[in-house]
Amino acid sequence: QVQLVESGGGLVQEGGSLRLSCAASGRTSRSYVMVWFRQAPGKEREFVAVISRNYGSTLYADSVKGRFTISRDNTTENTMYLQMNSLKPEDTAVYYCAVSDFPYIRSALSYYNTWGQGAQVTVSS
């Protein structure tokens, strides 16, 4: 069983930056792929970015490409980060990290089987 804990959320003004962290513990040897999703009030959970374990392959949603950067701790590969720059009010959401037992990067919600509790990000205009 893998446990995930997000941290780093908060309130920031439009144009500002935040960095989210997701720490994985437990049976992490099969946590091949780590991903960020987000869910705004009244909306479905949507894909943000994903990173693979071994080669650092990444994929981003078009809405965050060029502003957000996903990365993974080089030492343990059990901590993932999301550097968010040039934040916009529409980035306001609860951000969730998740992992998959499968080695391919995917943006589908159903691909991921373990989720964190979420971190609130609020961007004021």
Side-chain angles (χ1 to χ4, degrees):
Q1 191 78 6
V2 176
Q3 294 81 40
L4 302 173
V5 177
E6 300 99 335
S7 61
L11 173 65
V12 65
Q13 287 191 332
E14 185 174 7
S17 298
L18 280 175
R19 189 176 83 153
L20 299 179
S21 299
C22 174
S25 60
R27 294 187 177 183
T28 59
S29 61
R30 293 190 65 188
S31 299
Y32 294 108
V33 175
M34 298 185 78
V35 69
W36 289 100
F37 277 78
R38 67 186 181 185
Q39 188 165 19
K43 295 189 177 181
E44 294 185 351
R45 195 168 296 190
E46 66 173 3
F47 167 77
V48 176
V50 60
I51 187 166
S52 67
R53 182 186 183 102
N54 295 328
Y55 302 105
S57 299
T58 60
L59 180 68
Y60 293 91
D62 288 344
S63 59
V64 306
K65 204 173 294 183
R67 300 187 299 121
F68 290 11
T69 303
I70 191 171
S71 62
R72 202 157 174 171
D73 183 274
N74 288 333
T75 303
T76 67
E77 296 188 311
N78 291 337
T79 302
M80 174 178 65
Y81 305 98
L82 185 69
Q83 178 66 43
M84 305 183 292
N85 298 329
S86 302
L87 283 161
K88 305 174 181 180
E90 50 263 45
D91 294 319
T92 295
V94 177
Y95 283 70
Y96 297 90
C97 67
V99 298
S100 173
D101 291 343
F102 299 101
Y104 306 108
I105 58 173
R106 294 286 187 272
S107 61
L109 189 71
S110 58
Y111 191 70
Y112 300 93
N113 52 0
T114 302
W115 294 81
Q117 83 288 352
Q120 177 69 48
V121 171
T122 303
V123 184
S124 63
S125 57

Coordinates of all heavy atoms in Angstrom, one line a residue, residues 35-101:
V35 N 1.4 11.6 -10.9 CA 0.6 12.5 -11.6 C -0.1 13.6 -10.7 O -0.3 13.4 -9.5 CB -0.5 11.8 -12.4 CG1 -1.6 11.2 -11.4 CG2 -1.2 12.6 -13.5
W36 N -0.3 14.7 -11.3 CA -1.1 15.8 -10.6 C -2.5 15.9 -11.4 O -2.5 16.1 -12.6 CB -0.4 17.1 -10.6 CG 0.8 17.2 -9.7 CD1 2.1 17.0 -10.1 CD2 0.7 17.4 -8.3 NE1 2.9 17.1 -8.9 CE2 2.1 17.3 -7.9 CE3 -0.3 17.6 -7.4 CZ2 2.4 17.5 -6.5 CZ3 0.1 17.7 -6.0 CH2 1.4 17.7 -5.6
F37 N -3.5 15.9 -10.7 CA -4.9 16.3 -11.1 C -5.3 17.5 -10.3 O -4.8 17.8 -9.2 CB -5.9 15.2 -11.0 CG -5.8 14.1 -12.1 CD1 -4.8 13.2 -12.1 CD2 -6.8 14.1 -13.1 CE1 -4.8 12.2 -13.1 CE2 -6.7 13.2 -14.1 CZ -5.7 12.2 -14.1
R38 N -6.4 18.2 -10.8 CA -6.9 19.2 -10.0 C -8.5 19.2 -10.2 O -9.0 18.8 -11.2 CB -6.4 20.6 -10.4 CG -6.7 21.1 -11.8 CD -6.0 22.4 -12.1 NE -6.3 22.9 -13.4 CZ -5.7 23.9 -13.9 NH1 -4.7 24.6 -13.3 NH2 -6.0 24.4 -15.1
Q39 N -9.1 19.8 -9.2 CA -10.6 19.8 -9.2 C -11.1 21.2 -8.7 O -10.8 21.4 -7.5 CB -11.2 18.7 -8.4 CG -12.7 18.5 -8.6 CD -13.2 17.2 -8.1 OE1 -12.6 16.5 -7.4 NE2 -14.4 16.8 -8.6
A40 N -11.7 21.9 -9.5 CA -12.3 23.2 -9.1 C -13.7 23.0 -8.7 O -14.3 22.0 -9.0 CB -12.2 24.2 -10.3
P41 N -14.3 23.9 -7.9 CA -15.6 23.7 -7.4 C -16.6 23.5 -8.5 O -16.6 24.3 -9.5 CB -15.9 25.0 -6.6 CG -14.5 25.4 -6.2 CD -13.6 25.1 -7.3
G42 N -17.4 22.5 -8.4 CA -18.5 22.3 -9.4 C -18.0 21.7 -10.7 O -18.7 21.6 -11.7
K43 N -16.7 21.4 -10.8 CA -16.1 20.8 -12.0 C -15.6 19.4 -11.8 O -15.3 19.0 -10.7 CB -15.0 21.7 -12.6 CG -15.5 23.1 -13.0 CD -14.5 23.9 -13.7 CE -15.0 25.2 -14.2 NZ -14.0 26.0 -15.0
E44 N -15.3 18.7 -12.9 CA -14.7 17.4 -12.8 C -13.2 17.5 -12.5 O -12.6 18.5 -12.9 CB -15.0 16.6 -14.1 CG -16.5 16.3 -14.3 CD -16.7 15.4 -15.5 OE1 -15.7 15.2 -16.2 OE2 -17.8 14.9 -15.7
R45 N -12.7 16.4 -12.0 CA -11.2 16.4 -11.7 C -10.6 16.3 -13.1 O -10.9 15.5 -14.0 CB -10.9 15.2 -10.9 CG -9.5 15.2 -10.3 CD -9.3 14.1 -9.2 NE -10.2 14.4 -8.1 CZ -10.1 13.7 -6.9 NH1 -9.1 12.8 -6.8 NH2 -10.9 13.9 -6.0
E46 N -9.5 17.2 -13.3 CA -8.9 17.2 -14.6 C -7.4 17.0 -14.5 O -6.7 17.4 -13.5 CB -9.1 18.6 -15.3 CG -8.5 19.8 -14.6 CD -8.7 21.0 -15.4 OE1 -9.3 21.0 -16.5 OE2 -8.2 22.1 -15.0
F47 N -6.8 16.4 -15.5 CA -5.4 16.2 -15.6 C -4.6 17.4 -15.7 O -5.0 18.4 -16.3 CB -5.1 15.3 -16.8 CG -3.7 15.2 -17.2 CD1 -2.9 14.3 -16.5 CD2 -3.2 15.9 -18.2 CE1 -1.5 14.2 -16.8 CE2 -1.9 15.8 -18.6 CZ -1.0 14.9 -17.9
V48 N -3.5 17.5 -14.9 CA -2.6 18.6 -15.0 C -1.2 18.2 -15.6 O -0.8 18.8 -16.6 CB -2.3 19.2 -13.6 CG1 -1.3 20.3 -13.6 CG2 -3.6 19.7 -13.0
A49 N -0.5 17.3 -15.0 CA 0.8 16.9 -15.5 C 1.1 15.5 -14.9 O 0.7 15.1 -13.8 CB 1.9 17.9 -15.1
V50 N 2.0 14.8 -15.6 CA 2.4 13.4 -15.2 C 3.9 13.2 -15.5 O 4.5 13.8 -16.4 CB 1.6 12.4 -15.9 CG1 1.7 12.4 -17.4 CG2 1.9 11.0 -15.4
I51 N 4.6 12.4 -14.6 CA 6.0 12.1 -14.8 C 6.2 10.7 -14.6 O 5.7 10.1 -13.7 CB 6.8 13.0 -13.9 CG1 8.3 12.9 -14.2 CG2 6.6 12.7 -12.4 CD1 9.2 13.9 -13.6
S52 N 7.1 10.1 -15.4 CA 7.4 8.7 -15.2 C 8.5 8.5 -14.2 O 9.2 9.5 -13.8 CB 7.8 8.0 -16.5 OG 9.1 8.6 -17.0
R53 N 8.8 7.3 -13.8 CA 9.8 7.0 -12.7 C 11.2 7.0 -13.3 O 12.1 7.6 -12.8 CB 9.5 5.7 -12.0 CG 10.4 5.4 -10.9 CD 10.2 4.0 -10.3 NE 11.1 3.7 -9.2 CZ 10.7 3.8 -7.9 NH1 9.4 4.2 -7.6 NH2 11.5 3.5 -6.9
N54 N 11.4 6.2 -14.3 CA 12.8 5.9 -14.7 C 13.4 6.9 -15.6 O 14.6 7.2 -15.5 CB 12.8 4.5 -15.4 CG 12.4 3.4 -14.5 OD1 12.7 3.4 -13.3 ND2 11.8 2.4 -15.0
Y55 N 12.7 7.4 -16.5 CA 13.3 8.3 -17.5 C 12.8 9.7 -17.4 O 13.3 10.6 -18.2 CB 13.0 7.8 -18.9 CG 13.5 6.4 -19.1 CD1 12.7 5.3 -19.1 CD2 14.9 6.1 -19.2 CE1 13.1 4.0 -19.3 CE2 15.4 4.8 -19.4 CZ 14.5 3.8 -19.4 OH 14.9 2.5 -19.5
G56 N 12.0 10.0 -16.5 CA 11.5 11.4 -16.3 C 10.7 11.9 -17.5 O 10.6 13.1 -17.7
S57 N 10.0 11.0 -18.2 CA 9.2 11.5 -19.3 C 8.0 12.2 -18.7 O 7.5 11.9 -17.6 CB 8.6 10.3 -20.1 OG 9.7 9.6 -20.7
T58 N 7.6 13.3 -19.4 CA 6.5 14.1 -18.8 C 5.4 14.4 -19.9 O 5.7 14.3 -21.1 CB 7.0 15.5 -18.3 OG1 7.7 16.2 -19.4 CG2 8.0 15.3 -17.2
L59 N 4.3 14.8 -19.4 CA 3.2 15.2 -20.2 C 2.4 16.3 -19.5 O 2.2 16.1 -18.2 CB 2.3 14.0 -20.5 CG 1.0 14.2 -21.4 CD1 1.5 14.5 -22.8 CD2 0.1 13.0 -21.4
Y60 N 2.0 17.3 -20.2 CA 1.2 18.4 -19.5 C -0.1 18.7 -20.2 O -0.2 18.5 -21.4 CB 2.1 19.7 -19.6 CG 3.3 19.7 -18.8 CD1 4.5 19.3 -19.4 CD2 3.3 20.1 -17.5 CE1 5.7 19.3 -18.6 CE2 4.5 20.1 -16.7 CZ 5.7 19.7 -17.3 OH 6.8 19.7 -16.6
A61 N -1.1 19.1 -19.4 CA -2.3 19.6 -20.0 C -2.0 20.9 -20.8 O -1.1 21.7 -20.3 CB -3.3 19.9 -18.9
D62 N -2.7 21.2 -21.8 CA -2.4 22.4 -22.6 C -2.6 23.7 -21.8 O -1.9 24.7 -22.0 CB -3.4 22.5 -23.8 CG -3.0 21.5 -24.9 OD1 -1.9 20.9 -24.9 OD2 -3.9 21.2 -25.7
S63 N -3.5 23.6 -20.8 CA -3.8 24.8 -20.0 C -2.7 25.2 -19.1 O -2.6 26.4 -18.6 CB -5.1 24.6 -19.2 OG -4.9 23.5 -18.3
V64 N -1.7 24.3 -18.8 CA -0.6 24.7 -17.9 C 0.7 24.6 -18.6 O 1.7 25.0 -18.0 CB -0.6 23.7 -16.7 CG1 -2.0 23.8 -16.0 CG2 -0.2 22.3 -17.0
K65 N 0.8 24.2 -19.8 CA 2.0 24.0 -20.5 C 2.8 25.4 -20.6 O 2.2 26.4 -20.9 CB 1.8 23.5 -21.9 CG 2.9 22.7 -22.6 CD 2.5 22.1 -23.9 CE 1.5 21.0 -23.7 NZ 1.1 20.3 -24.9
G66 N 4.0 25.3 -20.3 CA 4.8 26.6 -20.3 C 4.8 27.4 -19.0 O 5.6 28.3 -18.8
R67 N 3.8 27.0 -18.1 CA 3.7 27.7 -16.8 C 4.1 26.8 -15.6 O 4.6 27.2 -14.6 CB 2.3 28.3 -16.6 CG 1.9 29.3 -17.7 CD 0.6 29.9 -17.3 NE -0.5 28.9 -17.3 CZ -1.3 28.7 -16.2 NH1 -1.0 29.4 -15.1 NH2 -2.2 27.8 -16.2
F68 N 3.7 25.5 -15.8 CA 3.9 24.5 -14.7 C 5.0 23.6 -15.1 O 5.2 23.3 -16.3 CB 2.7 23.7 -14.4 CG 1.5 24.5 -13.8 CD1 1.5 25.8 -13.7 CD2 0.4 23.8 -13.4 CE1 0.4 26.5 -13.1 CE2 -0.7 24.4 -12.8 CZ -0.7 25.8 -12.7
T69 N 5.8 23.2 -14.1 CA 6.9 22.2 -14.3 C 6.7 21.1 -13.3 O 6.7 21.3 -12.1 CB 8.2 22.8 -14.2 OG1 8.3 23.9 -15.1 CG2 9.3 21.8 -14.5
I70 N 6.6 19.8 -13.8 CA 6.6 18.7 -12.9 C 8.0 18.1 -12.8 O 8.7 18.1 -13.8 CB 5.5 17.6 -13.4 CG1 5.3 16.5 -12.4 CG2 6.0 17.0 -14.7 CD1 4.1 15.6 -12.7
S71 N 8.3 17.6 -11.6 CA 9.6 17.0 -11.4 C 9.6 16.0 -10.3 O 8.6 15.9 -9.6 CB 10.7 18.1 -11.1 OG 10.4 18.7 -9.9
R72 N 10.6 15.2 -10.3 CA 10.7 14.1 -9.3 C 12.0 14.1 -8.6 O 13.1 14.3 -9.2 CB 10.4 12.8 -10.0 CG 9.9 11.6 -9.2 CD 9.2 10.6 -10.1 NE 8.8 9.5 -9.3 CZ 8.1 8.5 -9.8 NH1 7.6 8.6 -11.0 NH2 7.8 7.5 -9.0
D73 N 12.1 13.8 -7.3 CA 13.3 13.8 -6.6 C 14.3 12.8 -7.2 O 13.9 11.6 -7.4 CB 13.0 13.4 -5.1 CG 14.2 13.4 -4.3 OD1 14.9 12.4 -4.2 OD2 14.5 14.5 -3.6
N74 N 15.5 13.2 -7.5 CA 16.4 12.3 -8.2 C 17.0 11.2 -7.3 O 17.4 10.2 -7.8 CB 17.6 13.2 -8.7 CG 17.2 14.0 -9.9 OD1 16.2 13.7 -10.6 ND2 17.8 15.1 -10.1
T75 N 16.9 11.5 -6.0 CA 17.6 10.5 -5.1 C 16.6 9.3 -4.8 O 17.0 8.2 -4.9 CB 17.9 11.2 -3.7 OG1 18.8 12.3 -4.0 CG2 18.6 10.2 -2.8
T76 N 15.4 9.7 -4.3 CA 14.5 8.6 -3.9 C 13.4 8.3 -4.9 O 12.8 7.3 -5.0 CB 13.8 9.0 -2.6 OG1 13.0 10.1 -2.8 CG2 14.8 9.3 -1.5
E77 N 13.2 9.3 -5.8 CA 12.1 9.2 -6.7 C 10.7 9.0 -6.1 O 9.7 8.6 -6.7 CB 12.3 8.1 -7.8 CG 13.5 8.4 -8.7 CD 13.7 7.5 -9.8 OE1 13.6 6.3 -9.6 OE2 13.8 7.9 -10.9
N78 N 10.6 9.3 -4.8 CA 9.4 9.1 -4.0 C 8.7 10.4 -3.7 O 7.7 10.4 -3.0 CB 9.6 8.3 -2.8 CG 9.9 6.9 -3.0 OD1 9.6 6.3 -4.1 ND2 10.6 6.2 -2.1
T79 N 9.3 11.5 -4.1 CA 8.8 12.8 -3.9 C 8.6 13.5 -5.3 O 9.6 13.5 -6.1 CB 9.6 13.7 -3.0 OG1 9.8 13.0 -1.7 CG2 8.9 15.0 -2.8
M80 N 7.5 14.0 -5.5 CA 7.2 14.7 -6.8 C 6.8 16.2 -6.5 O 6.3 16.5 -5.4 CB 6.0 14.0 -7.4 CG 5.5 14.7 -8.7 SD 4.1 13.8 -9.4 CE 2.8 14.0 -8.2
Y81 N 7.1 17.0 -7.4 CA 6.9 18.4 -7.2 C 6.1 19.0 -8.4 O 6.2 18.5 -9.5 CB 8.2 19.2 -7.1 CG 9.1 18.7 -6.0 CD1 10.2 17.8 -6.3 CD2 8.9 19.1 -4.7 CE1 11.0 17.3 -5.3 CE2 9.8 18.6 -3.7 CZ 10.8 17.7 -4.0 OH 11.6 17.2 -3.1
L82 N 5.4 20.1 -8.2 CA 4.8 20.8 -9.2 C 5.1 22.3 -9.0 O 4.5 22.9 -8.1 CB 3.3 20.6 -9.3 CG 2.5 21.2 -10.5 CD1 2.9 20.5 -11.8 CD2 1.0 21.2 -10.3
Q83 N 6.0 22.8 -9.8 CA 6.3 24.3 -9.8 C 5.3 25.0 -10.6 O 5.2 24.7 -11.8 CB 7.7 24.5 -10.2 CG 8.1 26.0 -10.3 CD 8.2 26.6 -8.9 OE1 8.7 26.0 -7.9 NE2 7.6 27.8 -8.7
M84 N 4.5 25.9 -10.0 CA 3.5 26.6 -10.7 C 3.8 28.1 -10.8 O 3.9 28.7 -9.8 CB 2.1 26.4 -10.0 CG 1.8 24.9 -9.8 SD 0.1 24.7 -9.1 CE 0.5 25.3 -7.4
N85 N 4.1 28.6 -12.0 CA 4.4 30.0 -12.2 C 3.3 30.7 -13.0 O 2.5 30.0 -13.6 CB 5.7 30.1 -13.0 CG 6.9 29.5 -12.2 OD1 6.9 29.5 -11.0 ND2 7.9 29.0 -12.9
S86 N 3.3 32.0 -13.0 CA 2.3 32.8 -13.8 C 0.9 32.3 -13.5 O 0.1 32.1 -14.4 CB 2.6 32.7 -15.2 OG 3.9 33.2 -15.5
L87 N 0.6 32.1 -12.2 CA -0.7 31.5 -11.8 C -1.8 32.5 -12.2 O -1.7 33.7 -12.2 CB -0.7 31.2 -10.3 CG 0.0 30.0 -10.0 CD1 0.4 30.0 -8.5 CD2 -0.8 28.7 -10.3
K88 N -3.0 31.8 -12.6 CA -4.2 32.6 -13.0 C -5.3 32.2 -12.1 O -5.3 31.1 -11.5 CB -4.5 32.2 -14.4 CG -3.4 32.4 -15.4 CD -3.8 31.9 -16.8 CE -2.7 32.0 -17.8 NZ -3.2 31.5 -19.2
P89 N -6.3 33.0 -12.0 CA -7.5 32.7 -11.1 C -8.1 31.3 -11.5 O -8.6 30.6 -10.7 CB -8.4 33.8 -11.4 CG -7.6 35.0 -11.6 CD -6.4 34.4 -12.4
E90 N -8.0 31.0 -12.8 CA -8.6 29.7 -13.2 C -7.8 28.5 -12.8 O -8.2 27.4 -13.0 CB -8.8 29.7 -14.8 CG -7.6 30.1 -15.6 CD -7.7 31.6 -16.0 OE1 -8.0 32.5 -15.1 OE2 -7.3 31.9 -17.1
D91 N -6.6 28.7 -12.2 CA -5.9 27.6 -11.7 C -6.3 27.3 -10.3 O -5.9 26.3 -9.7 CB -4.4 28.0 -11.6 CG -3.7 28.2 -13.0 OD1 -4.1 27.4 -13.9 OD2 -3.0 29.1 -13.1
T92 N -7.2 28.1 -9.7 CA -7.8 27.8 -8.4 C -8.5 26.4 -8.4 O -9.4 26.2 -9.2 CB -8.7 28.9 -8.0 OG1 -8.0 30.1 -7.8 CG2 -9.4 28.5 -6.6
A93 N -8.0 25.6 -7.5 CA -8.6 24.2 -7.4 C -7.9 23.5 -6.2 O -7.0 24.0 -5.6 CB -8.3 23.4 -8.7
V94 N -8.5 22.3 -5.9 CA -7.8 21.4 -5.0 C -6.9 20.5 -5.9 O -7.4 19.9 -6.9 CB -8.7 20.5 -4.2 CG1 -8.0 19.5 -3.4 CG2 -9.6 21.4 -3.3
Y95 N -5.6 20.4 -5.6 CA -4.7 19.7 -6.4 C -4.4 18.4 -5.7 O -4.1 18.3 -4.6 CB -3.4 20.5 -6.6 CG -3.5 21.6 -7.6 CD1 -4.3 22.7 -7.3 CD2 -2.9 21.5 -8.9 CE1 -4.5 23.7 -8.3 CE2 -3.0 22.5 -9.8 CZ -3.8 23.6 -9.5 OH -4.0 24.6 -10.4
Y96 N -4.5 17.3 -6.5 CA -4.3 15.9 -6.0 C -3.1 15.3 -6.7 O -3.0 15.4 -7.9 CB -5.6 15.1 -6.3 CG -6.8 15.5 -5.6 CD1 -7.7 16.4 -6.2 CD2 -7.1 15.1 -4.3 CE1 -8.8 16.8 -5.6 CE2 -8.3 15.5 -3.6 CZ -9.1 16.4 -4.3 OH -10.3 16.8 -3.7
C97 N -2.3 14.6 -5.9 CA -1.3 13.7 -6.6 C -1.8 12.3 -6.5 O -2.6 11.9 -5.7 CB 0.0 13.8 -5.9 SG 0.2 13.2 -4.3
A98 N -1.3 11.5 -7.5 CA -1.7 10.1 -7.5 C -0.6 9.3 -8.2 O 0.3 9.9 -8.8 CB -3.0 9.9 -8.3
V99 N -0.7 8.0 -8.0 CA 0.3 7.1 -8.6 C -0.3 5.9 -9.3 O -1.5 5.6 -9.1 CB 1.3 6.5 -7.6 CG1 2.1 7.6 -6.9 CG2 0.6 5.7 -6.5
S100 N 0.4 5.4 -10.3 CA -0.1 4.2 -11.0 C 1.0 3.1 -10.9 O 2.2 3.3 -10.8 CB -0.3 4.5 -12.5 OG -0.6 3.4 -13.2
D101 N 0.5 1.8 -10.8 CA 1.3 0.7 -10.9 C 1.9 0.4 -12.2 O 2.7 -0.5 -12.4 CB 0.6 -0.6 -10.3 CG 0.3 -0.5 -8.9 OD1 0.9 0.4 -8.2 OD2 -0.6 -1.2 -8.4

